[in-house]
Amino acid sequence: MTPLPRSAPLLELDHVAKAFGPHVAVEDFSLAVAPGEFISFLGPSGCGKTTTLQMIAGFLQPSRGTIRLEGRDLTSVHPSKRGLGIVFQSYALFPHMTAAENVAFGLEMQRVSRSERTERVRAALAMVGLAGYEDRHPRRMSGGQQQRVALARALVIRPSVLLLDEPLSNLDAKLREEMQIELRQIQRNLGTTTILVTHDQGEALSLSDRIVVMSKGRIEQIGTPQDTYERPSSAFVAQFLGKTNDFAAKVEGAAPARIVAGGWSAPAPVGVRGPVTVSVRPERIGFSDEGLPARVVARIFQGNHWLFQCETECGPAIVVRPNDGLAQPGEGEAVRLAWRPEDMSVSTGAAA
């Protein structure tokens, strides 16, 4: 069942689907977005996240289902009349216009007076850190500055919902991280309801109130970043949203039954039988005197933490441990791996 926000929804997608001939791009997509929420559509290329965003924007019509904004059916509403702000991956700035002219474009279409337009453009550029850049053309601006202009242009019209189609993907890693922080601060300060399309797991985790994980046109899971990461509802979510270890295990005994993986064991969930797969995040595994026997194949220093690649009889394992100044196992060393039962998820069937 799709979790709903506690407050009355601002935007609702009710069993929305989109097909292009025989190809179904989006199937049975339902979501309620509360005012002020930051939602991320996350998934691999071709999963339907951009198609869903384009249906919200009005660039594509749903094959079936309904999209409502503040209770109003948007099916027959033209994109320009929906009151939505959009930032594209390419920024789509007008090269012959200055930053101020680009930002003012939407206000001109709304027939806002010149005096109000000038003040709102000035405020929007200042909000994104571009005060003093009003007369600069896009060709004389960096990628990060162009991204800020595009964001200011989308926000200056005071949209009911801000739609972001991978707006940071063209930036280098350092600038992208900086812009993520700025984007989140701006969104929090304005309280603008925002939907982001991204394939970057870290971006979705750091920005979102809730994440909609998609695969092959369908919703796999909706939840907060922490819940989605720590309690994935499927093997796909666990693998896509960060690294995870899958151990082949079996259920032994009855009343109470136990899951056994090598030298590690824990109480089995009620009703689980036969071969199972135990999934554990790398940072939830520790080295212990008791547990699953393993051998360190490689260890990699990554600044604030160590990454260990291990071999076990139940499958390969990646272990991430903090750099706490203590001695760490060396390559080739025999170790035992252990984790808390609450830090694992269990699925029926053998690990792939």
Side-chain angles (χ1 to χ4, degrees), residues 144-163:
Q145 290 168 340
Q146 291 182 44
Q147 195 273 346
R148 288 182 173 92
V149 173
L151 182 59
R153 183 177 61 182
L155 290 172
V156 76
I157 65 171
R158 297 170 182 169
S160 53
V161 180
L162 175 64
L163 306 177

Side-chain angles (χ1 to χ4, degrees), residues 60-83:
L60 292 173
Q61 285 297 309
S63 301
R64 65 177 181 273
T66 306
I67 300 174
R68 293 184 291 271
L69 180 64
E70 296 180 295
R72 178 178 63 149
D73 188 347
L74 294 181
T75 303
S76 59
V77 179
H78 191 272
S80 64
K81 302 297 184 181
R82 297 191 177 198

Side-chain angles (χ1 to χ4, degrees), residues 3-5 7-13 29 31-39 41 56 68 161 193-195 210 212:
L4 299 178
S7 57
L10 175 74
L11 177 71
E12 296 175 275
L13 288 84
F29 189 107
L31 176 70
V33 183
E37 263 200 301
F38 196 121
I39 300 283
F41 294 168
I56 296 170
R68 293 184 291 271
V161 180
T193 305
T194 302
I195 297 177
R210 287 190 296 160
V212 180

Side-chain angles (χ1 to χ4, degrees), residues 172-182:
D172 62 61
K174 183 175 183 296
L175 183 55
R176 183 170 185 159
E177 186 173 301
E178 292 173 355
M179 286 305 304
Q180 287 173 5
I181 296 171
E182 290 189 22

Side-chain angles (χ1 to χ4, degrees), residues 8 11-12 18 20 49 60 86 111 124 136 160 169 176 199 222 227 236 269 295-296 306 332 338 350:
L11 177 71
E12 296 175 275
K18 181 63 181 178
F20 299 95
K49 54 188 185 294
L60 292 173
I86 306 172
R111 302 185 183 278
R136 189 166 298 191
S160 53
S169 61
R176 183 170 185 159
H199 63 272
I222 301 176
D227 284 346
F236 172 83
R295 183 176 66 87
V296 177
W306 288 87

